[in-house]
């Protein structure tokens, strides 16, 4: 005789672990594109990494606190808010790339001392890596890295917030025949 049982609830560690893995993947891809791909990040790119770092910390806290539903939900909520902040930064970055608005003051070339000699200016410029925020360094299908990050951040924010606000159902200990 076949016994049907209610589907098991997923582990409370599932969503925190998946969100932490997504953060590690995004940060790993950013670092790989910088160090192996030669795509030096602009200031806005670095800020978007901070959002992933904050979301990673919150996801790891949710993973550690998985058995405490209230604290796990709070940590997932914080992760979701960090992803939303990252989406806001990415949206701003896309706007700067598309020349819809100006970037931050730190998005332009670094300041140089007025009294520096030509040799000092050359040394300062060559020794200082810089990527302008309004230049698209890489794109695929018309979307820049910031555009893809905007999509990813919105999706991850939705998943984190859904996991944070999900109601837990009581488990059914018996099986149906």
């Amino acid at each position: 005789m076949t016994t049907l049982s209610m589907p098991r609830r997923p582990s409370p560690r599932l969503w925190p672990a998946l969100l932490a893995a997504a953060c590690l993947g995004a940060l790993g891809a950013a670092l790989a594109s910088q160090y192996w791909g030669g795509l030096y990040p602009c200031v806005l790119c670095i800020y978007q990494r901070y959002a992933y770092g904050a979301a990673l910390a919150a996801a790891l806290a949710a993973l550690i606190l998985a058995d405490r539903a209230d604290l796990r939900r709070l940590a997932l909520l914080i992760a979701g808010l960090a992803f939303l902040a990252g989406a806001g930064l990415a949206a701003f970055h896309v706007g700067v790339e598309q020349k819809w608005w100006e970037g931050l003051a730190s998005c332009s070339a670094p300041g140089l001392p007025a009294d520096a000699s030509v040799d000092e200016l050359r040394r300062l410029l060559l020794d200082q890596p810089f990527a302008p925020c309004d230049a698209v360094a890489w794109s695929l299908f018309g979307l820049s890295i910031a555009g893809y990050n905007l999509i990813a951040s919105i999706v991850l924010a939705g998943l984190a917030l859904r996991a944070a606000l999900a109601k837990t159902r009581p488990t059914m200990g018996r099986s149906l025949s």
Side-chain angles (χ1 to χ4, degrees), residues 40 110 112 118-130:
Y40 191 78
L112 299 171
V118 173
D119 288 333
E120 290 172 333
L121 289 173
R122 181 180 298 124
R123 184 185 51 79
L124 284 171
L125 288 173
L126 293 177
D127 290 347
Q128 190 170 357
F130 172 73

Side-chain angles (χ1 to χ4, degrees), residues 124-162:
L124 284 171
L125 288 173
L126 293 177
D127 290 347
Q128 190 170 357
F130 172 73
C133 298
D134 61 350
V136 176
W138 181 90
S139 69
L140 179 65
F141 306 121
L143 283 178
S144 67
I145 296 172
Y148 283 108
N149 185 38
L150 173 60
I151 295 167
S153 294
I154 289 171
V155 169
L156 291 169
L159 292 173
L161 294 173
R162 182 169 185 222

Side-chain angles (χ1 to χ4, degrees), residues 82-117:
F83 285 127
L84 285 177
L89 286 166
F92 180 73
H93 194 179
V94 168
V96 171
E97 289 175 339
Q98 296 299 317
K99 315 282 192 281
W100 295 335
W101 46 72
E102 292 290 319
L104 305 175
S106 55
C107 286
S108 57
L112 299 171
D115 60 345
S117 69

Side-chain angles (χ1 to χ4, degrees), residues 9-27:
R9 275 189 322 178
S11 167
R13 288 178 170 75
L14 176 65
W15 285 109
L18 290 175
L19 292 170
C23 289
L24 289 172
L27 290 170

Side-chain angles (χ1 to χ4, degrees), residues 17 27-28 39 47 55 67-68 75 81-82 94 113 124 132 137 142 145 149 174:
L27 290 170
L39 297 176
Y47 291 163
D67 294 330
R68 301 266 321 264
L81 294 175
V94 168
L124 284 171
I145 296 172
N149 185 38
R174 61 181 191 164

